Amino acid sequence: MRDKKIKIGIPKGSLQEYTLKIFKSAGFDIDIPERGYFLKIDDPEIDCFLLRPQEIPKYVERGKLDLGISGDDWILETKAKVIEVCDLKYAKKEIKKVKWVLAVPEDSKIKSVKYLQGKTISTEAVNLIKDYLRKNKVKAKVEFSWGATEVKPPRFTDAIVDITETGASLRAHNLKVIDTILVSSTKLIANKRAWQDKWKKEKIKDLALLLQGVVKGEGVVNLTMHVPGEGLKRILKVLPKLKSSIIKKIAGENWYDVTISCKEKETRELIPKLKRMGCEGIVEYPCMKLIP
Amino acid sequence: MNKIKFGFPWEYLREGAVELFKKVGYEVEVDEHSYRIEIDDPEIECITSRVEELALLVEKGVIDVGITEKVFILDSKAKVIELVNLDYGYKTLKRAKIVLAVPENSRIKSVRDLNGKKVVTWIPRIAKDYFKKHGVNTEIEFTNLPAEPKCPSLCDAIIEFVNTGASLRKFHLKILDILMETSPWLIANKEAWKNKWKREKIENLAILLKGSRLAQEYAGLMLHASNEMMEGVLKVLPSLKKPTVTQLRGENWFDVLTVANKKEIRNIIPKLKKIGCRDMVEFSLNKLVI
């Protein structure tokens, strides 16, 4: 009998902490042995490997891995032919979006991508930039950079394309952003043959459901409150329309107990409004998973 | 666009303030090196300030609303509106005290013995008023560093913050008198308070920040109880928020949901267990607005 197992690639580096967190919230415990790349997970049907996110798409394409987590950036860069199972975009990442930007020295004459004709651009994502230049009909030399790309202009290169979250490192090196090439999100990707295997597909879909539930739940909270009977109609109009609201009358009193779930961000506006409208005992608690 | 300028205290109050904003649901980014704080609300501009100076900046209107320590509001005599006591300490939820301390082996036994002596402190105006009230003539020297190491080599006594008392013990100092308790407050500028839009934004923030602060001390509690147990259960549960009771379908059992102080829950759970309650679940809260 064939072993019923799926092999998963977990990204090492900046995505690692978040990936382990969502697995944990989905109910899986993953243990990282010291200097180990073969992770222990408490599901005998899963084998876990810690790998660089740049390499995961290729291994998934070749079937070395059935499933993997990586960024859009590396999926595009490696041009890997894989199935995108779902998006695992972190809801609470408004300020720190992972962006690939085109940057030049602050005093550079390069004002936009069009000025790059014949120039040199250093980057860790060569294919991504070549596609970008082709799209903009610009011919330039794209040079692979092993890292520390932001220190290279203007001495070693004219422009760079690098990953940035807050832009602090670019500012520190007197670079300015002239274009955003890609805003990268995190994806769950699967091998095409694994997707045709009935058992594996089932297992992957179950896992995707749980992981996505966690990711969606990140931004969602539950609100429970007491609502005065005379204000009920007005207050229900203010509440976001969701299927899961529960309204109960409190026995012997003209008060109602209302429970809803809503986006965490909405509570900043909603809670003060509800309090002003006479609601009492407003309790907000986090939602562990949200399965739509 | 309408905007309010929010003053974040740097130094020891910052961590607690950022945590409260995060519990409200804000995304907050702190840049340690450039003293910058960013928040995902276009209506809030973040300004960082030293804790001691923040109240004066609020008085001047450089900041519309901010968080600072009560004792510094008093010491700077800033004219501001004190909105909400956020009541957190440095790495603890206990209030700090402002104390008069002397070396353990000092001959100084009370405030009166400080006549003609020297006291080092962060809060010279409060210290001055304090000695004046006691009719004692004491030399007051200002420092913006911890005063403990200066006693007894540079002075006879200090007026300092105390959280756990560990620092006093380390320098072999003992408390002679407690001047006041202090904790962080949300304060607002008087002009900003008169502006309708700003006032509403500030009031909303006050509700939310207080809500997240309360949620640190409370937890949710869910349990199953039978009809016969209900009377006992309702007696044990605190009355802060009326519990939500739902009958389980087709059974003589109820689902009870309530919130309680975490310290009370320690005592409540064993009691409920004795009554016969089942499936008790305690869960943490994000916000609690009573």
Side-chain angles (χ1 to χ4, degrees):
Chain A
M1 196 184 87
R2 198 164 47 89
D3 216 9
K4 288 207 162 167
K5 264 193 183 211
I6 55 163
K7 298 179 289 280
I8 303 182
I10 304 286
K12 185 177 160 62
S14 61
L15 292 175
Q16 180 178 332
E17 194 188 334
Y18 173 61
T19 306
L20 295 179
K21 196 179 134 202
I22 58 174
F23 268 89
K24 196 171 167 60
S25 302
F28 296 92
D29 273 331
I30 299 184
D31 215 34
I32 308 178
E34 214 176 314
R35 286 205 281 173
Y37 289 85
F38 186 72
L39 308 180
K40 286 183 195 138
I41 182 163
D42 63 342
D43 181 339
E45 293 174 347
I46 298 176
D47 275 344
C48 257
F49 303 90
L50 193 62
L51 294 160
R52 300 285 308 171
Q54 292 91 323
E55 296 173 338
I56 287 176
K58 274 283 165 199
Y59 289 144
V60 171
E61 181 184 15
R62 289 180 205 156
K64 300 278 177 197
L65 296 170
D66 297 308
L67 193 63
I69 289 172
S70 186
D72 289 322
D73 40 7
W74 300 117
I75 300 168
L76 289 170
E77 171 65 19
T78 55
K79 299 182 193 275
K81 288 176 192 67
V82 294
I83 307 258
E84 264 189 34
V85 183
C86 66
D87 199 296
L88 295 176
K89 192 176 133 209
Y90 192 19
K92 273 192 146 181
K93 231 174 191 298
E94 272 306 308
I95 299 180
K96 266 192 164 182
K97 272 185 190 151
V98 176
K99 284 184 290 191
W100 285 87
V101 295
L102 174 63
V104 294
E106 266 166 18
D107 55 4
S108 170
K109 289 199 184 119
I110 299 169
K111 304 276 179 256
S112 74
V113 57
K114 303 288 175 207
Y115 290 71
L116 285 171
Q117 189 71 31
K119 304 279 186 200
T120 303
I121 307 158
S122 289
T123 184
E124 284 179 64
V126 173
N127 288 326
L128 209 63
I129 311 321
K130 281 188 175 159
D131 287 349
Y132 166 76
L133 291 174
R134 208 170 296 134
K135 224 185 295 160
N136 284 285
K137 298 191 175 65
V138 172
K139 279 207 171 78
K141 191 177 167 206
V142 182
E143 213 169 52
F144 176 71
S145 167
W146 284 96
T149 315
E150 62 270 33
V151 303
K152 290 176 178 165
R155 187 181 295 260
F156 302 106
T157 188
D158 301 302
I160 63 164
V161 174
D162 207 1
I163 208 158
T164 180
E165 284 190 350
T166 59
S169 177
L170 293 177
R171 276 195 298 273
H173 289 94
N174 297 320
L175 299 173
K176 65 177 175 196
V177 173
I178 55 175
D179 199 6
T180 299
I181 292 175
L182 176 74
V183 179
S184 188
S185 178
T186 309
K187 292 269 165 43
L188 186 68
I189 50 173
N191 171 268
K192 286 189 173 171
R193 247 166 301 136
W195 198 244
Q196 276 154 19
D197 178 304
K198 194 165 163 273
W199 181 85
K200 282 187 178 175
K201 184 173 178 177
E202 200 73 11
K203 180 81 186 166
I204 292 169
K205 281 177 102 174
D206 287 352
L207 190 62
L209 184 73
L210 292 172
L211 293 176
Q212 249 194 325
V214 171
V215 173
K216 292 216 168 116
E218 292 263 11
V220 177
V221 294
N222 298 314
L223 275 185
T224 293
M225 71 206 93
H226 292 315
V227 178
E230 64 270 19
L232 186 67
K233 258 194 185 161
R234 248 173 352 112
I235 287 163
L236 289 181
K237 262 185 212 150
V238 170
L239 295 176
K241 284 183 188 63
L242 270 175
K243 293 162 209 144
S244 54
S245 53
I246 305 166
I247 304 161
K248 281 178 293 192
K249 185 158 188 322
I250 297 172
E253 287 179 63
N254 190 22
W255 281 83
Y256 291 82
D257 203 280
V258 177
T259 301
I260 59 158
S261 57
C262 68
K263 290 196 183 113
E264 188 179 19
K265 273 204 163 176
E266 289 174 328
T267 64
R268 321 172 171 170
E269 310 255 320
L270 196 56
I271 289 178
K273 207 183 270 174
L274 292 171
K275 180 157 165 92
R276 286 204 175 90
M277 292 174 94
C279 293
E280 281 179 17
I282 308 170
V283 183
E284 178 195 315
Y285 48 99
C287 172
M288 294 282 286
K289 293 190 193 101
L290 181 75
I291 314 288
Chain B
M1 184 196 282
N2 278 325
K3 258 190 186 197
I4 52 160
K5 287 168 281 176
F6 193 93
F8 274 94
W10 204 255
E11 298 115 13
Y12 73 104
L13 286 186
R14 188 193 73 208
E15 223 174 287
V18 169
E19 201 188 310
L20 285 181
F21 269 89
K22 282 189 177 163
K23 283 199 79 146
V24 169
Y26 285 110
E27 208 186 317
V28 189
E29 281 295 321
V30 178
D31 184 345
E32 298 268 353
H33 302 293
S34 59
Y35 295 89
R36 282 205 322 189
I37 292 184
E38 253 185 284
I39 195 165
D40 66 332
D41 182 342
E43 290 174 354
I44 300 177
E45 182 188 340
C46 300
I47 294 176
T48 58
S49 157
R50 285 194 66 110
V51 183
E52 306 94 298
E53 291 166 357
L54 204 144
L56 282 175
L57 296 178
V58 170
E59 182 188 298
K60 284 180 194 151
V62 178
I63 292 171
D64 294 316
V65 55
I67 296 173
T68 192
E69 189 82 42
K70 174 87 178 177
V71 67
F72 291 123
I73 307 171
L74 295 175
D75 196 64
S76 61
K77 301 197 188 294
K79 287 174 196 68
V80 295
I81 298 170
E82 292 173 20
L83 293 169
V84 182
N85 186 356
L86 293 172
D87 215 0
Y88 63 89
Y90 176 60
K91 294 198 169 162
T92 116
L93 291 179
K94 279 201 313 201
R95 275 183 208 178
K97 290 185 185 77
I98 305 297
V99 302
L100 172 68
V102 293
E104 274 166 9
N105 56 7
S106 171
R107 289 215 193 111
I108 297 164
K109 301 285 178 238
S110 80
V111 196
R112 295 183 193 289
D113 298 338
L114 280 167
N115 214 358
K117 306 277 191 204
K118 189 166 143 190
V119 173
V120 168
T121 184
W122 291 50
I123 38 174
R125 286 168 211 89
I126 288 177
K128 197 176 150 199
D129 291 348
Y130 171 74
F131 290 117
K132 201 169 160 191
K133 197 180 80 191
H134 285 89
V136 181
N137 199 2
T138 311
E139 185 191 340
I140 295 161
E141 192 176 291
F142 169 76
T143 179
N144 55 10
L145 290 171
E148 287 96 335
K150 299 195 161 107
C151 194
S153 56
L154 293 166
C155 60
D156 305 289
I158 60 168
I159 290 180
E160 250 300 352
F161 279 78
V162 174
N163 264 312
T164 58
S167 178
L168 289 184
R169 278 194 295 278
K170 205 180 197 172
F171 287 95
H172 304 290
L173 301 167
K174 64 176 177 193
I175 296 173
L176 213 56
D177 194 10
I178 295 169
L179 279 69
M180 62 179 286
E181 275 192 340
T182 181
S183 54
W185 275 73
L186 186 72
I187 57 171
N189 171 270
K190 288 188 173 170
E191 289 303 312
W193 196 245
K194 285 180 199 154
N195 175 306
K196 193 172 161 266
W197 183 87
K198 282 189 179 178
R199 178 166 173 163
E200 191 173 316
K201 182 83 187 170
I202 293 168
E203 279 177 337
N204 288 354
L205 265 179
I207 292 170
L208 294 167
L209 290 171
K210 189 71 191 171
S212 0
R213 176 63 192 87
L214 266 183
Q216 291 174 332
E217 276 176 44
Y218 287 80
L221 190 62
M222 242 187 295
L223 57 93
H224 287 162
S226 72
N227 198 13
E228 298 77 53
M229 299 171 196
M230 280 310 290
E231 200 183 328
V233 170
L234 293 177
K235 235 180 248 169
V236 170
L237 292 181
S239 53
L240 169 79
K241 179 184 182 286
K242 283 189 211 83
T244 304
V245 182
T246 318
Q247 185 161 14
L248 297 181
R249 198 199 304 216
E251 284 182 69
N252 192 23
W253 280 74
F254 293 87
D255 191 77
V256 181
L257 173 72
T258 192
V259 296
N261 193 298
K262 283 181 191 166
K263 283 182 186 150
E264 271 181 284
I265 288 182
R266 300 178 197 159
N267 302 323
I268 294 173
I269 288 181
K271 277 186 203 159
L272 292 170
K273 184 87 192 157
K274 254 179 226 158
I275 295 175
C277 295
R278 286 196 215 149
D279 313 324
M280 284 184 260
V281 180
E282 182 185 329
F283 54 96
S284 54
L285 309 177
N286 286 352
K287 283 173 221 136
L288 174 61
V289 180
I290 307 170

